[in-house]
Amino acid sequence: MALILAIESSCDETAAAICREEVMLSNVVFSQLVHKKYGGVVPELASRAHLEVITPVIEQALKEADCELKDIDAFAFTQSPGLIGSLLVGAGFAKSLALAMNKPLIAVQHMEAHVLANLIRKKEGSNKVPGFPFLCLTVSGGHTQIVVCHSPLELEVIGQTLDDAAGEAFDKAAKMLGLPYPGGPLIDKYAAEGIPLYSFPEPKIPELNFSFSGLKTAILYFIRDHQKENSDFVKNNMADICASVQNRIITILMDKLEAASEQTGIRNICIAGGVSANKGLRKAFTELGEQKGWNTFIPPFEYCTDNAAMIAIAGYYKFKEKVYSPLTATPSARV
Ligand code: KG4
Ligand code: ZN
């Protein structure tokens, strides 16, 4: 049975994972802390940090999977999209391994890998995975898409954001509220203690596309107007403001997902990407699924935010069909 070693280095997570076909044997993620004090990811520092930790991260992945480099059948890496300097580190490392071990190199697209994370099997093989075709709402810091997955190698984007991604909307709202980066998980935390008392406008965007820039402006004016009257307004109402912002982002996402299911007739539905770690979104998605009679799937938390397990499973499906990449393959910042 094929063993795939995968490397993910598209942003500020240095990650390595090993799968035996669809079963994940190890999944190691090193989250770079160096960016915290800058309020966002600093590309130069990210590349340097990847280079520092990539060897120990891969060694740990091999150790946890209880295998050696010579056992690996192919080396997969994230080719796009992402920070180019960060991608180059993972690509260079994967190529060196493929060359040294004389095994195939497999390039993986990060957004497709987020979708395929829904197909990862637990060691015992007991978890439910979606049948084909399935719909996936992929929500991350850089992208927001609705994808039809016809098969592991046939993914069709049927809707996407026209401006900010859902994760960016969370992070920018958090920044306006004075919360540190990345603010998404903090909004999630405060929202759990609040009530969505404040109403932000829902954009009218055609078809299955999204827009979050209007919400950003609405939050900016909302804060400015209330702070004029009471300078402690944000501080005193943090939980309710976060619950209101989160509620609007979720309704924007759920309305389009519902429309996508109606339009395509597909009822196997998944969510993926960093924002799918949001507790409010997971709950709203599960409730909508129950109401609509969908089969819903949410990857375990560790496969939602950036990780190499999803690159490994995407790599495995390509390996199965012998979709290899030449050693001249280069990464790219855009898809
Ligand atoms: O998929 P991901 O780890 O990286 C990208 O490919 O972009 O997504 C990162 C995004 C960030 O914007 C972060 O704030 C958001 O996911 N995020 C969350 C939560 N956990 C991560 N947003 C809302 N609630 C969360 N619990
Ligand atoms: Zn991602």
Side-chain angles (χ1 to χ4, degrees):
M1 286 209 279
L3 279 178
I4 313 293
L5 187 154
I7 299 171
E8 150 65 30
S9 68
S10 63
C11 193
D12 58 343
E13 251 88 33
T14 315
I18 294 168
C19 65
R20 178 183 294 124
E21 303 201 330
E22 286 144 315
V23 177
M24 216 44 62
L25 302 183
S26 65
N27 179 34
V28 179
V29 182
F30 173 84
S31 295
Q32 302 176 358
L33 300 174
V34 55
H35 309 287
K36 247 199 163 88
K37 58 177 177 282
Y38 299 101
V41 179
V42 184
E44 290 259 342
L45 296 179
S47 315
R48 190 178 289 266
H50 282 305
L51 211 45
E52 269 170 18
V53 302
I54 195 160
T55 308
V57 164
I58 291 173
E59 281 170 349
Q60 184 67 22
L62 284 163
K63 195 171 150 204
E64 285 181 19
D66 198 17
C67 61
E68 297 176 32
L69 268 185
K70 66 171 173 49
D71 305 325
I72 303 295
D73 295 291
F75 295 91
F77 71 100
T78 306
Q79 184 174 34
S80 69
L83 299 171
I84 194 68
S86 290
L87 290 166
L88 281 165
V89 176
F93 220 92
K95 282 184 181 201
S96 311
L97 289 171
L99 182 66
M101 306 311 291
N102 196 24
K103 291 286 162 61
L105 175 73
I106 298 175
V108 170
Q109 205 252 71
H110 182 94
M111 298 307 298
E112 295 188 350
H114 269 303
V115 175
L116 299 176
N118 280 286
L119 298 173
I120 296 172
R121 268 40 166 211
K122 291 215 172 99
K123 274 187 193 146
E124 333 61 267
S126 58
N127 56 315
K128 238 175 34 145
V129 296
F132 298 103
F134 66 82
L135 274 182
C136 185
L137 170 71
T138 317
V139 272
S140 77
H143 297 264
T144 300
Q145 296 182 330
I146 299 180
V147 176
V148 182
C149 186
H150 300 281
S151 79
L153 299 192
E154 280 172 281
L155 292 98
E156 182 193 356
V157 178
I158 58 168
Q160 57 194 321
T161 183
L162 303 176
D163 40 58
D164 291 347
E168 246 176 316
F170 269 107
D171 296 340
K172 286 182 179 171
K175 198 168 180 183
M176 289 188 258
L177 296 170
L179 301 173
Y181 176 88
L186 288 169
I187 293 204
D188 192 1
K189 191 177 135 239
Y190 281 111
E193 292 150 21
I195 300 165
L197 291 178
Y198 308 106
S199 157
F200 295 107
E202 177 150 13
K204 299 269 171 292
I205 306 297
E207 296 162 0
L208 299 174
N209 295 322
F210 304 92
S211 166
F212 291 99
S213 63
L215 176 63
K216 190 176 61 188
T217 315
I219 297 169
L220 185 73
Y221 290 152
F222 169 84
I223 296 173
R224 192 194 60 186
D225 293 348
H226 281 86
Q227 293 278 96
K228 247 189 235 162
E229 287 161 24
N230 171 9
S231 58
D232 286 337
F233 175 75
V234 167
K235 206 173 88 198
N236 294 343
N237 298 282
M238 187 63 95
D240 292 340
I241 301 172
C242 287
S244 308
V245 169
Q246 177 167 301
N247 184 55
R248 176 50 78 220
I249 296 175
I250 292 172
T251 54
I252 293 173
L253 295 170
M254 290 301 103
D255 286 356
K256 293 291 178 162
L257 192 56
E258 197 180 330
S261 171
E262 268 166 30
Q263 204 170 299
T264 58
I266 299 173
R267 302 164 76 78
N268 289 332
I269 309 192
C270 310
I271 54 174
V275 180
S276 63
N278 183 273
K279 287 194 272 310
L281 177 64
R282 293 165 93 97
K283 185 163 172 271
F285 172 63
T286 308
E287 284 172 2
L288 182 63
E290 277 164 12
Q291 189 195 324
K292 294 274 161 192
W294 295 344
N295 300 312
T296 55
F297 304 85
I298 308 178
F301 190 81
E302 61 180 322
Y303 304 143
C304 287
T305 49
D306 282 351
N307 65 86
M310 65 186 199
I311 308 299
I313 189 139
Y316 162 66
Y317 290 122
K318 286 191 161 182
F319 177 81
K320 234 170 95 171
E321 302 301 326
K322 295 193 169 53
V323 181
Y324 305 149
S325 301
L327 284 174
T328 50
T330 54
S332 123
R334 293 178 168 272
V335 176

